[in-house]
Amino acid sequence: MAIDQQSATPEPAPGAASRRIVRGFSTGGGFVLTLFLTFLGLLAITFFIGRVIPIDPVLAVVGDRATQEQYDVAKIAMGLDQPLWMQFISYVGNVFTGDLGMSVSTGRPVIEDLSRFFPATFEMATLGILIGCAIGIPLGVTAAARQGSWLDQAIRVVGLLGYSVPAFWLGLVGLALFYARLRWVGGPGRLDIFYDGLVEPVTGMILIDSLLRGEIDIFWNAVSHIILPAAVLGFFSLAYIARMTRSFMLDQLSQEFVTTARVKGVPERVVIWRHAFNPIRVPLITVIGLSYAGLLEGSVMIETVFSWPGIGNYLTTALLNADMNAVLGATLVIGAVFIVINKISDVLYRVLDPRAR
Amino acid sequence: MAAPLLTVENLRVSFPTHTGRVEVVKGLSFTLGRERLGIVGESGSGKSMTGRSILKLIRKPGEVTADMLEFDGVDILSQSEKQMRAIRGARISMVMQDPKFSLNPVMTVGEQIAEALVTHQKLPRRDVQARIIEMLHAVRINDPERVAKLYPHEVSGGMGQRIMIAMMLIPEPELLIADEPTSALDVSVQAQVLDIIDELVRNKGMGLILISHDLNLVSRYCDRILVMNGGRVVEECAAGQLENAQHPYTRGLLAAMPVINETRDELPVLDRTQWAGT
Amino acid sequence: MSTRDWLLADSPTSRLQANVGRAYRVFTALMRNPLSVLGGAIILVLLLTAAFAPWIAPYSAVGQDLANRLMPPSAAHWMGTDELGRDIFSRVVWGSQITLTIVLLVALISAPLGLLIGAIAGYFGGWVDRILMGFTDIFLSLPKLILALAFVAALGPGINNAIIAIAITSWPAYARIARAETLTIRNAEYIQAVQLAGGGPIRLIVQHVLPLCTSSMIIRVTLDMAGVILTAAGLGFIGLGAQPPLPEWGAMISRGRTFILDQWWVATMPGFAIIIVSLGFCFLGDGLRDVLDPKSEGKN
């Protein structure tokens, strides 16, 4: 769900996983190659979904009231008279030149739509991951330091809740409670209606744009709107990050060098943060990267609930309108960001760990 | 002998298991002056747990009890965690088995040694640096300035253990516990490391508890020997008197020691039935 | 000899005794962990609810009663009624059948598929391994929910397509596990012994490799079930999964969305069902891992 919960659950030691991958590309060129191959795989999948599964993709575009003539024109225009592998090559070529086709529902090029919707998603997911780290890491460390205590159990249950609560449900309940009942936060959307469109987009991120323009009122209004969806997203990354942090920390705390530090008479706080936590900062980066990528995915559900004009919302709207170009374009962009974040956190691992240098 | 440095009476360490609490140390007693005491025993005989309970490092759910556990007049068991921190490192220190695991992999050697020192003494940075270099020299590291900047994975096992010794001795403790300090090292550097420990301990007049499974080695470097088996002391004697050992377990261990230029048809095996139930 | 002694015998005299004994040991170990007992109980309740839904549900899942629409929870309607006057509790009870079907079908499709692909890759190695695992890795590095969404979009909305889409996106993790397990046992001497005795690859994989992957597989599948439930509910929520009037929990939340501000129970109640069942699978999976895979004890 919000985070890629299935693959996240019992993640093998990210060290092992990333070392396996790192060995695959010991050179920068190799890195670009794996990235390229993975991306090609993504394209193959979206191509397969878009052109092969639908019984008649032409019909999907022209609609069933089109004449045979219109149908044939569309078929040739879409290049569907070509053999499949030719179609794939031209598809790849189009994607690399930024041509993702036209969206049927908005009537604009998909790539244009996506660049307009992306900043909103980016803004929310980034705030979400910040919340997740700020709370999740201390929770995980505390749970590990007090393994077996009631606090540890409580944190464990919170962690498992992160795998069991539907993100869209949590969003709805949050809206009902904090917006409708308590009036603590703003409702759906990025701004109250009368502030809408007052800030000229620069980065597309309202928090930043409003500050750039010095519009403090708008900034606080935007904060009141973004805080709930970001917190819901944050909860899921928090659960995952806390769980992984705890598991890494337990691993470290059972190491001999932690005993060494205790033998030296180092205070427990220093033992935990300097000796046990420092070595896990690097694997944690991989975890945070994975979790961040997962949030981009999770935002699909959250944006639907909060009417947040981001890529997820764009995707679900397109899904319901059977607007395949838009669906595949959004899938491609989210997939690509996902892949890039994954790979970057793998590389960071190698750069930051003194043992791997 | 003056007042002993360490008095241990009826020390018991136990851990819970599915089938109830299991004692791994069952009523151990000994006293230690400023001398070198060897504790010998096989794996699981409780010797390492003894070392760790002196530093009060056995964590829950493990449990330590003793009629008396006194270090230089201080009752260890009644010390708070904070009071213990003032003792650990500064007054009692411990060298552990494998420098590959006992050194922090993401801190440089110099940082780790410095930490041992500044935890107990506030010193200006330059003095700390000088003390580290001096200490590294003392453990026979030739280019201490370079070594201090290395990470543990960049040094050999023998060098790692010497770094460990430097780190543990830099606050000048009165008692050093060496828990299998050479078992993880190549045979060629074992003697060198033990010689260093021996020299430093003698020069500073410290007490030493050398924990090992190697009877030969312990008898060479210690004044007195305790032989442990199954959580109990089965033999206590001066190092020189080892040949006169009475207990069948010790005799068995002695018989198992290889002698150069000897051929045996069959390697001796410990016959555990002789002392079973003691 | 008592039954217990027979079960716990150190040297079982038959294969049956060994298997039953092992199952008993796993069971007793699980019983010691309160959370996994809770998890097991939740799954049991789910199974019973699904099996006996017609007797448990006080009302029909689809019968409308417009006079009693949007009633808050009461003695007559424990979880209230929805916008068509249907009893939400009854719908949640009937919905358990749908959830169980989804979970079972996804597990039955994706686990054997992943197992087979992983075992083949690990057993044959070489270019077979490289191609299969390259494929697996690409799938693994893509966002699962988005892929499932795209698949459903192409296949068309509906519960069957949702199941297919989820299964398509969940096999790669199993393939990785099966491959890793296969690699560790591929060169074991007893495998060579079977080879010497003339056992072909099919026989080896099916009879000797696959059984050894089962315990790690069971753990993983159990843990994944929570994710499957959430993905299915998510598809239902967006409107691509089970279609109304099916009482699928995600779709029910979606219907209740409109009333969330005033009639909170319509959307909230099915959510609790999802959370409880998912938590049940998590607890049980966690417990199973602690028992079956002691290596990772204390982790996660």
Side-chain angles (χ1 to χ4, degrees), chain A residues 167-240:
Chain A
F168 54 89
W169 181 84
L170 195 61
L172 282 176
V173 171
L175 269 181
L177 189 63
F178 295 111
Y179 167 62
R181 198 122 317 178
L182 298 172
R183 293 271 158 200
W184 286 359
V185 299
R190 295 176 86 182
L191 285 172
D192 282 353
I193 207 98
F194 47 88
Y195 284 126
D196 223 6
L198 285 185
V199 178
E200 199 65 21
V202 181
T203 60
M205 285 172 276
I206 291 187
L207 290 182
I208 295 177
D209 287 350
S210 58
L211 282 183
L212 285 179
R213 300 273 161 168
E215 301 271 12
I216 298 300
D217 286 0
I218 298 186
F219 174 76
W220 284 113
N221 188 255
V223 167
S224 79
H225 278 265
I226 201 175
I227 196 71
L228 187 58
V232 171
L233 275 183
F235 169 72
F236 290 99
S237 65
L238 172 164
Y240 176 54

Side-chain angles (χ1 to χ4, degrees), chain A residues 257 260 262-264 274-275, chain B residues 89 96 101-102 112 115 120:
Chain A
F257 64 78
T260 305
R262 292 200 177 111
V263 168
K264 289 197 277 189
R274 186 190 292 163
H275 289 272
Chain B
M96 277 166 310
F101 302 116
S102 52
Q112 296 189 55
E115 185 184 43
H120 300 288

Side-chain angles (χ1 to χ4, degrees), chain C:
Chain C
M1 198 181 355
S2 76
T3 322
R4 191 163 181 278
D5 288 340
W6 183 80
L7 284 167
L8 292 176
D10 277 333
S11 42
T13 50
S14 70
R15 189 180 277 203
L16 174 75
Q17 187 183 357
N19 287 338
V20 176
R22 181 172 152 73
Y24 178 73
R25 253 169 265 200
V26 168
F27 179 72
T28 47
L30 271 182
M31 291 306 282
R32 268 198 293 272
N33 179 346
L35 279 187
S36 46
V37 173
L38 182 62
I42 291 173
I43 307 303
L44 196 68
V45 169
L46 173 72
L47 289 172
L48 293 176
T49 312
F52 298 105
W55 293 275
I56 296 172
Y59 301 89
S60 145
V62 289
Q64 302 183 1
D65 177 7
L66 291 175
N68 279 321
R69 58 196 294 272
L70 296 172
M71 299 291 279
S74 64
H77 300 283
W78 294 356
M79 297 184 178
T81 61
D82 66 8
E83 78 281 10
L84 297 174
R86 296 172 297 194
D87 178 53
I88 295 178
F89 175 69
S90 302
R91 284 175 65 75
V92 167
V93 168
W94 282 102
S96 66
Q97 290 184 340
I98 297 176
T99 300
L100 201 62
T101 315
I102 294 174
V103 161
L104 284 180
L105 282 178
V106 168
L108 284 179
I109 297 171
S110 60
L113 186 69
L115 201 58
L116 199 66
I117 291 176
I120 289 174
Y123 181 79
F124 289 105
W127 62 267
V128 176
D129 182 28
R130 234 168 287 152
I131 290 178
L132 287 179
M133 281 304 117
F135 201 56
T136 309
D137 277 348
I138 287 173
F139 258 94
L140 269 181
S141 60
L142 298 178
K144 222 179 258 182
L145 176 70
I146 307 288
L147 265 191
L149 282 176
F151 269 111
V152 182
L155 292 167
I159 189 160
N160 292 335
N161 291 342
I163 292 172
I164 294 172
I166 298 173
I168 286 177
T169 52
S170 24
W171 64 267
Y174 306 130
R176 272 249 154 255
I177 295 176
R179 175 176 176 272
E181 297 269 335
T182 309
L183 281 183
T184 59
I185 52 183
R186 184 176 62 174
N187 295 321
E189 292 192 356
Y190 73 89
I191 294 287
Q192 289 168 1
V194 182
Q195 281 170 334
L196 282 177
I202 295 178
R203 182 197 160 121
L204 259 167
I205 290 178
V206 172
Q207 289 202 349
H208 297 274
V209 175
L210 292 189
L212 285 168
C213 303
T214 42
S215 72
S216 45
M217 215 56 160
I218 289 174
I219 299 168
R220 186 60 198 246
V221 169
T222 313
L223 283 169
D224 278 0
M225 284 306 112
V228 169
I229 293 173
L230 293 189
T231 311
L235 290 174
F237 178 75
I238 291 183
L240 295 172
Q243 298 296 309
L246 276 183
E248 197 272 327
W249 296 340
M252 288 170 70
I253 297 178
S254 174
R255 305 285 299 177
R257 214 185 132 183
T258 332
F259 319 105
I260 184 70
L261 301 185
D262 299 310
Q263 286 88 20
W264 54 270
W265 56 90
V266 184
T268 314
M269 291 303 178
F272 285 123
I274 296 176
I275 295 171
I276 290 170
V277 172
S278 306
L279 263 187
F281 278 109
C282 281
F283 286 157
L284 188 65
D286 250 21
L288 274 175
R289 178 177 43 205
D290 289 351
V291 174
L292 295 176
D293 186 11
K295 278 172 292 182
S296 67
E297 196 171 3
K299 286 191 183 182
N300 285 309

